[in-house]
Amino acid sequence: MRNSNLSDRDLSVLWHPCTQMKDHENLPLIPIKKGKGVWLEDYEGRQYIDAISSWWVNLFGHSNTYINEAIKQQLDRLEHTLFAGFTHEPAITLAERLVNLSPKGLNKCFFADNGSSAVEVALKMSFHYWLNKNAENNSKIKTKFVSLSNSYHGETLGALAVGDVALYKATYGPLLMECITVPSPDCYHRENGVTCEEHSRNMFDHMDKTLSDNADDICAVIVEPLVQCAGNMRMYHSVYLELLRKACDKYEILLIADEVAVGFGRTGKMFACEHSNISPDIMCLSKGLTGGYLALSAVLTTDDIYQAFYDDYLNGTAFLHSHSYTGNPLACAAANATLDIFRRDNTIEKNVELVNALKAETEKFEDHPHISEVRRSGMIVALEMVKDKNNKLAFPWEERRGIEVYKYALSQGVLLRPLGDVIYFMPPYIVTPDQIKKITNVAFQGITNATI
Ligand SMILES: *Cc1c(COP(=O)(O)O)cnc(C)c1O
């Protein structure tokens, strides 16, 4: 079997995500036959290092023996059951473990089956919380959500509405609920001589004013803690979350932490909120949750929120949200195996060595004439590729230079999939320092070629 056979069959029936299909008239589609560890292999035996963890989901490599075994064992016991009125041990164990691992106070776990659904759950739950809570005193109904500019929370309509990446959102604008967007605290455009901490702290004034002016209307603020991943891996300082937690308490607004991308060790701690030592009222998890194996998401929340729905059925306060595959046992088994590996291998501590290797190997980009910033957060490094380093002038987007880096890296056996002109590394945690060296060297040459 050749790559081209499969590619032809694919292109006659398939429609791929986040893709202008016409691009594949020039850009080859790569059929993957198998994966092992950091490696993906196509039908012609070419191998690629998965430097972006297959869209940020894979934590411990492809075809991980331990996770494979856990899924196989679960498969012979129970593949799926409805999750209303019924339950199963893998889901119970997983919920107990997530409650124990997550920031203090998040004591209840609601399952869904992908990141966008988790965000929808979080939005509906926070709206409904205030509805139930304020029912007695006839207060005004709160209907507004606040989010940051350049944020990303998924592709379903509610998630798009609280997001702000124009590329994904603008087209659907007429369909979306109205939200309040506050300027992001991201540090890329801070003024010379201002530290990231000062900048993020200063940017909080916008948030504070918005919350104080609209407190009666706002159900919740939703943020991606520390890293706006789909928004070009822009980063901000942890002080912002500390200030946000205090302000949400002060103005009686819920705080939703969307840790779909940054959860499970990406920023160097288990959850990014830990850098600020805060507990959100609601936390969304997905992507790395199953080690990159199966679609699952979890929404963790507080006893207070849970209790606001807990009443006699006839009072109509229940949260009647569901998905067919809620809490799928195979996905829960994969997630439990993933958490076993975190504990067994002391992953968060062990990753420090990889974080250091990533730092050392990306120092070479600091002086690259077309890299205006090297951003790092734990196991994430992002490089901003620009036309003019001195004034951070971007290349015209129509030139699509990021794709040139992508193509070059593939030719060298490395899978990088840039976000526009931002090249980033988000490798699985089983990557070796030598592989990190290879990935970054390939990226360096690819960027140099693409910026001539
Ligand atoms: C990927 C992502 C989502 C959406 O998750 P899907 O599983 O792709 O629907 C939501 N929020 C953040 C922060 C993400 O990175």
Side-chain angles (χ1 to χ4, degrees):
M1 186 89 68
R2 305 280 302 171
N3 283 353
S4 55
N5 299 109
L6 283 168
S7 172
D8 290 347
R9 281 172 56 195
D10 176 296
L11 293 173
S12 69
V13 287
L14 275 156
W15 192 344
H16 287 266
C18 203
T19 299
Q20 169 49 264
M21 292 303 294
K22 191 167 190 287
D23 275 359
H24 283 303
E25 288 179 9
N26 302 309
L27 195 67
L29 182 66
I30 303 173
I32 294 300
K33 182 175 185 185
K34 57 187 181 190
K36 189 69 198 170
V38 293
W39 297 100
L40 291 169
E41 187 178 319
D42 70 16
Y43 280 77
E44 291 165 13
R46 268 189 296 273
Q47 295 190 315
Y48 310 90
I49 299 181
D50 189 351
I52 57 159
S53 298
S54 284
W55 263 354
W56 327 340
V57 298
N58 190 288
L59 300 188
F60 297 112
H62 296 279
S63 197
N64 180 290
T65 317
Y66 185 80
I67 303 174
N68 287 2
E69 196 50 43
I71 295 172
K72 286 176 192 168
Q73 289 195 9
Q74 182 57 42
L75 183 58
D76 283 334
R77 244 177 265 133
L78 174 70
E79 80 301 331
H80 187 66
T81 165
L82 78 169
F83 206 59
F86 286 70
T87 192
H88 49 82
E89 193 273 334
I92 298 166
T93 300
L94 179 57
E96 288 170 347
R97 295 171 82 171
L98 291 175
V99 163
N100 280 331
L101 281 171
S102 61
K104 207 160 96 319
L106 297 173
N107 293 334
K108 291 283 190 278
C109 176
F110 189 98
F111 284 118
D113 51 18
N114 61 70
S116 305
S117 314
V119 168
E120 300 289 342
V121 167
L123 298 177
K124 285 175 68 179
M125 200 179 260
S126 40
F127 164 79
H128 199 163
Y129 167 80
W130 292 112
L131 199 66
N132 283 351
K133 214 163 153 74
N134 292 337
E136 305 103 59
N137 49 21
N138 265 333
S139 321
K140 194 171 147 196
I141 295 177
K142 285 175 178 248
T143 56
K144 288 280 185 277
F145 293 95
V146 174
S147 58
L148 298 175
S149 62
N150 191 42
S151 59
Y152 180 85
H153 297 289
E155 299 291 344
T156 52
L157 294 176
L160 265 187
V162 291
D164 185 49
V165 178
L167 183 63
Y168 310 129
K169 177 173 184 172
T171 309
Y172 306 100
L175 298 180
L176 303 176
M177 69 174 165
E178 224 179 278
C179 292
I180 304 175
T181 310
V182 169
S184 167
D186 109 60
C187 296
Y188 182 59
H189 287 298
R190 71 185 183 278
E191 280 169 41
N192 278 339
V194 176
T195 66
C196 184
E197 174 169 357
E198 286 164 346
H199 179 76
S200 293
R201 191 184 280 281
N202 293 342
M203 291 305 282
F204 191 77
D205 292 348
H206 297 281
M207 179 62 86
D208 194 74
K209 180 161 190 344
T210 299
L211 299 189
S212 82
D213 287 353
N214 305 283
D216 291 347
D217 293 322
I218 299 172
C219 304
V221 179
I222 180 167
V223 292
E224 295 161 273
L226 303 193
V227 190
Q228 299 189 301
C229 292
N232 287 357
M233 299 288 165
R234 291 285 172 81
M235 299 179 187
Y236 60 90
H237 195 274
S238 58
V239 71
Y240 194 86
L241 296 176
E242 291 170 37
L243 297 170
L244 182 57
R245 177 67 276 179
K246 285 195 198 119
C248 285
D249 287 341
K250 177 172 163 196
Y251 299 119
E252 298 193 31
I253 290 166
L254 297 178
L255 174 55
I256 303 170
D258 178 355
E259 295 234 7
V260 167
V262 292
F264 300 103
R266 265 301 151 197
T267 65
K269 297 202 186 260
M270 195 60 169
F271 300 109
C273 282
E274 293 172 28
H275 291 278
S276 314
N277 225 342
I278 61 143
S279 293
D281 299 292
I282 299 179
M283 184 161 88
C284 302
L285 301 172
S286 188
K287 292 208 165 99
L289 173 60
T290 63
Y293 269 70
L294 287 154
L296 180 70
S297 58
V299 181
L300 295 169
T301 192
T302 60
D303 291 323
D304 176 47
I305 292 179
Y306 178 82
Q307 285 301 332
F309 293 80
Y310 194 91
D311 202 349
D312 294 328
Y313 186 84
L314 296 186
N315 288 333
T317 58
F319 190 56
L320 299 179
H321 182 103
S322 66
H323 295 286
S324 309
Y325 283 98
T326 297
N328 174 260
L330 295 170
C332 289
N336 281 319
T338 299
L339 294 180
D340 287 346
I341 298 175
F342 268 103
R343 194 175 47 197
R344 182 193 75 191
D345 294 354
N346 232 332
T347 301
I348 299 291
E349 271 173 51
K350 237 183 58 190
N351 277 357
V352 171
E353 188 199 337
L354 296 173
V355 171
N356 290 337
L358 270 169
K359 177 157 197 316
E361 293 299 337
T362 50
E363 267 160 16
K364 55 181 169 266
F365 292 96
E366 313 260 1
D367 296 326
H368 192 289
H370 290 285
I371 297 296
S372 60
E373 185 175 65
V374 181
R375 297 188 276 278
R376 302 182 181 89
S377 178
M379 292 294 290
I380 308 173
V381 180
L383 313 167
E384 191 96 22
M385 188 168 71
V386 294
K387 185 168 175 140
D388 188 341
K389 186 185 181 84
N390 295 316
N391 53 15
K392 297 184 172 170
L393 180 70
F395 284 112
W397 68 270
E398 297 89 339
E399 294 176 8
R400 304 182 76 189
R401 290 175 187 249
I403 293 183
E404 297 309 313
V405 181
Y406 170 75
K407 285 200 277 199
Y408 174 78
L410 282 178
S411 77
Q412 302 301 305
V414 177
L415 164 52
L416 294 171
R417 195 177 196 275
L419 293 154
D421 286 347
V422 171
I423 320 299
Y424 67 91
F425 313 113
M426 236 207 234
Y429 305 159
I430 46 118
V431 71
T432 64
D434 274 353
Q435 288 163 343
I436 288 174
K437 188 181 289 245
K438 156 122 186 168
I439 292 166
T440 57
N441 285 345
V442 165
F444 195 94
Q445 189 59 48
I447 290 168
T448 301
N449 296 349
T451 51
I452 287 169

